[in-house]
Amino acid sequence: MTAVRTHTHAQAVDAAVDLFTRQGYEGTTVEEIADAAKVSRATFFRRFRSKEDVVFADHELLLEEVVVMLAATRPDARASEEAGHDLGRAWDPDVDPYLEVCRAARMVFDHHVGQRETSLARYALLQQVPALRDRELITTHRYERAFTHYLRDTLPPERSTSTASIAFAASVVAVHNAILRRWLRTPSLDLRPELEEAFADLRRAAVLGSSSSPLPGEPAPSRGAWSSPWSTARPGPTRSPAPCATPWSRDRPGRECGRGILCSARHRAAAVAHVLRGR
């Protein structure tokens, strides 16, 4: 992504959103957007196919950045940087894929907050133009798909089922969008700490509901012990197993209920419901 390309897209997005806000979406022409963005009509159509596209042009670049960011921690990318390592290995125990997905989603959130005026104007515009709301759903799905593909490629084999990857990706996007909407309605709030806590809940739920088999080189966890393979802290004292302990319980670390994929989905659904409640 070049600085010139980024600047051009930012100019076009700002110009389009400003014109749509002042003149209305239907009342604004492509020529007016091109003039305001200081590009020719031909250049406009070479970079953006429609008025809808220009509204979300910054997200095209942001999605590319997310994909590049995640690709840097894929097993094949990491292996290619280390001579003599097997390029076909399925996962890297030093990488926490759940954390990497949350980092990528956090970058999207920070982009919105950092472009405050454009984000607020675009949000107001989305409430008025159904076609833009539909386009937003498509953009959201593309982030979710990128997260899902990354998790399938990067999680260890026993954790990388399609169902688990889709569930975690969808949960991260849902929580991100819920907290972002709160910020858009009340931009004076600092919701980043809440976002971080919500993502931590989702990661905790994913680990609690996943297989309890240890990764290579790790001792088998005691029954009921917290066993995140990426934790830098030593596991806490062994606790008696409890059925489906809520992942946001104040009694941390969480407890393993040992009910496999169904419980994993319940943990994730409960974590998302906890964050979405009252939004």
Side-chain angles (χ1 to χ4, degrees), residues 2-46:
T2 67
V4 172
R5 186 180 177 212
T6 302
H7 178 68
T8 302
H9 277 66
Q11 272 190 319
V13 172
D14 291 345
V17 170
D18 177 62
L19 286 170
F20 293 154
T21 300
R22 291 189 288 107
Q23 301 178 182
Y25 182 75
E26 297 299 336
T28 301
T29 66
V30 167
E31 287 78 6
E32 289 174 319
I33 299 172
D35 288 343
K38 297 181 174 58
V39 298
S40 68
R41 190 175 188 276
T43 299
F44 179 92
F45 278 112
R46 190 164 60 248

Side-chain angles (χ1 to χ4, degrees), residues 90-113:
W91 57 277
D92 185 336
D94 294 328
V95 173
D96 179 348
Y98 299 128
L99 180 60
E100 296 301 327
V101 166
C102 291
R103 284 182 58 222
R106 186 189 314 130
M107 181 173 70
V108 177
F109 183 86
D110 289 344
H111 172 82
H112 281 283
V113 174

